[in-house]
Amino acid sequence: MRLFSHKGTKGTKGYIQNAIFFVTFVSLCEMSEALPFPPVEVDYFYESGCPECAVIDGKVLPPLQASYGDLLLLRRRDINVQTNYLLLAAYQEMLNVPAEAPVSIVVDRQFALAGLAAIRDSLPARVALAIDARLKSEERGEAFELPPPPDPLGMDALADRLADFTPPLVMLAGLADGLNPCAFATIVFLVSLLALGGRGRRGILVGGLSFCVASYATYFLIGLGLLSFLRELAASTRATRIINGCTGGLLLAFGAVSVLDAWRYWRTGNAKAVILQLPDSVKRRIRAFAESRWRGPAVLGTGLLCGAAVTILESVCTGQLYLPTIVLMSRSGTARHAWVLLALYNLAFIIPLFAVFLASAFGVRSQRLADWSRHHVAPSKLLLAAVFILLAAVLLRSAF
């Protein structure tokens, strides 16, 4: 059955015009028979609360559904449902879809569009091409068949697939943050307070563990707030590029200053020569807060309180690395994946913290720890510089 001719129209615009004409033709004739070919299948992989998904739901899909009606079969797949997420992962492997894209659409099980810009710009044309392919098959008297969908990935394969570049980079950043001299010096000071207070091994372990737990929880919550804010901005591709570009440029500057700090400290051995460090006023506030509270008998409660307060005050310094890394996390494909990365960062961040408390509990004196910290200021600054530059490269690549 020849429905109409496509001659006289060329290119994507012509395909769209033909498709719309076909829908109008069907509507006017009120065809009672079933369509001679299957509808175009659109698998829409989204996440509740995703800003880019909100734009697609409000501005991209409604016009398509209004134009094509029954010619379009839209399947909404929430990737917070495990089966949908595993199916998306299978499509990503089969069709080379970027895993970091926050939203994806697969047309006819074989054409993938990832990210707001690609979906907004290309989905209408892709649907029109899919309808045109069906019309051509019908004109030739051939049955139109879709390829089978891929088998969803198993959990083992998915775990291997997620072990990509981003988690190691995030954990490296967290470890470098934890070894930051301004943070490490505060840890050594807290250990000396416990020792001066006559705490034994058990007291140091309890106080140190409670401090680590509070530090982890506080830093995680700070990061979660920043991450939520950045993901809200993700609906604007332009804003995302500006943020990535500015953050990448700032990281390059931090990297250069960190190299300069390493060189100046190596030459002078003077901590005051270091540029990127906590302001003296913040250092005094941390010391005064810890001294006023950690001499009491309630080691557990005091450790929790000090861990939260000191982490907030230290974020003036540690945020130099934390915030740029969160910008990288905000580009992760799903909120769940971003939260995992945030948890990994904070786990790596408290490893040096816990190691110092553990060493102190088993007899390593705070003076020895302080000497080790002073001797490794230059290497730790160089490590920070390397992480700054590495993160800058990742962010700047996505900005341009």
Side-chain angles (χ1 to χ4, degrees):
M1 180 176 65
R2 185 182 181 88
L3 295 173
F4 67 91
S5 171
H6 345 206
K7 293 180 181 180
T9 55
K10 296 181 179 180
T12 301
K13 184 177 180 181
Y15 288 130
I16 296 175
Q17 289 174 347
N18 279 339
I20 295 174
F21 176 82
F22 174 70
V23 176
T24 305
F25 177 85
V26 172
S27 178
L28 292 174
C29 295
E30 297 182 351
M31 297 176 61
S32 59
E33 58 181 324
L35 290 174
F37 44 74
V40 177
E41 295 188 8
V42 175
D43 286 286
Y44 170 40
F45 294 93
Y46 72 98
E47 182 181 19
S48 300
C50 159
E52 294 195 8
C53 303
V55 175
I56 292 170
D57 281 325
K59 297 182 179 180
V60 178
L61 294 178
L64 284 176
Q65 291 178 295
S67 297
Y68 295 115
D70 292 339
L71 289 176
L72 192 69
L73 175 59
L74 177 64
R75 296 193 186 97
R76 297 177 177 271
R77 299 187 183 273
D78 186 348
I79 57 176
N80 287 314
V81 177
Q82 181 175 300
T83 53
N84 292 333
Y85 187 74
L86 295 177
L87 179 60
L88 172 61
Y91 273 125
Q92 287 172 339
E93 287 206 346
M94 184 177 77
L95 303 176
N96 296 319
V97 184
E100 68 272 13
V103 58
S104 300
I105 280 181
V106 177
V107 179
D108 278 351
R109 310 175 191 172
Q110 54 191 323
F111 304 107
L113 301 170
L116 173 60
I119 293 171
R120 181 177 52 203
D121 297 341
S122 303
L123 181 59
R126 174 50 61 190
V127 172
L129 289 170
I131 291 177
D132 188 71
R134 286 161 169 76
L135 293 174
K136 288 179 178 178
S137 295
E138 194 274 333
E139 289 176 354
R140 293 192 299 266
E142 300 172 353
F144 184 85
E145 295 183 359
L146 292 173
D151 293 327
L153 284 188
M155 293 304 296
D156 292 340
L158 183 61
D160 293 339
R161 182 172 167 275
L162 291 177
D164 56 7
F165 179 68
T166 305
L169 175 59
V170 166
M171 291 199 72
L172 175 63
L175 186 62
D177 199 0
L179 290 170
N180 193 331
C182 64
F184 202 84
T186 302
I187 299 170
V188 174
F189 169 70
L190 294 173
V191 166
S192 67
L193 274 184
L194 285 171
L196 290 173
R199 309 292 184 189
R201 178 181 299 177
R202 183 176 179 276
I204 293 175
L205 281 176
V206 171
L209 183 61
S210 61
F211 185 94
C212 291
V213 169
S215 179
Y216 180 96
T218 303
Y219 216 34
F220 183 87
L221 290 175
I222 292 172
L224 192 60
L226 292 170
L227 183 62
S228 299
F229 172 73
L230 289 170
R231 286 182 68 86
E232 285 295 324
L233 292 180
S236 171
T237 304
R238 183 178 181 183
T240 300
R241 288 181 176 177
I242 291 173
I243 290 172
N244 288 348
C246 292
T247 306
L250 189 62
L251 282 170
L252 288 177
F254 281 158
V257 174
S258 294
V259 172
L260 178 62
D261 279 347
W263 180 73
R264 293 176 65 172
Y265 189 86
W266 177 75
R267 282 193 61 191
T268 65
N270 185 1
K272 292 185 178 180
V274 175
I275 299 172
L276 291 179
Q277 63 173 316
L278 278 173
D280 289 339
S281 59
V282 177
K283 290 180 183 178
R284 288 193 296 270
R285 190 172 299 177
I286 290 175
R287 289 175 179 270
F289 183 89
E291 286 178 343
S292 66
R293 285 166 174 78
W294 216 330
R295 293 183 182 276
V299 178
L300 178 62
T302 304
L304 292 172
L305 182 62
C306 281
V310 169
T311 301
I312 292 172
L313 292 171
E314 272 189 352
S315 63
V316 175
C317 178
T318 57
Q320 297 163 0
L321 189 55
Y322 197 28
L323 178 57
T325 310
I326 290 173
V327 172
L328 177 64
M329 295 177 198
S330 69
R331 296 169 48 220
S332 177
T334 67
R336 182 188 302 172
H337 192 204
W339 295 341
V340 170
L341 294 177
L342 189 65
L344 289 175
Y345 182 100
N346 282 276
L347 178 62
F349 173 74
I350 66 165
I351 286 175
L353 183 70
F354 184 71
V356 169
F357 280 114
L358 196 62
S360 177
F362 285 90
V364 179
R365 296 186 177 182
S366 58
Q367 184 59 46
R368 187 175 175 185
L369 292 170
D371 291 340
W372 184 93
S373 176
R374 283 193 295 271
H375 292 154
H376 289 81
V377 167
S380 64
K381 282 290 183 179
L382 291 176
L383 174 61
L384 276 174
V387 175
F388 280 141
I389 293 170
L390 188 57
L391 285 172
V394 174
L395 291 172
L396 289 175
R397 185 179 63 178
S398 66
F400 300 104

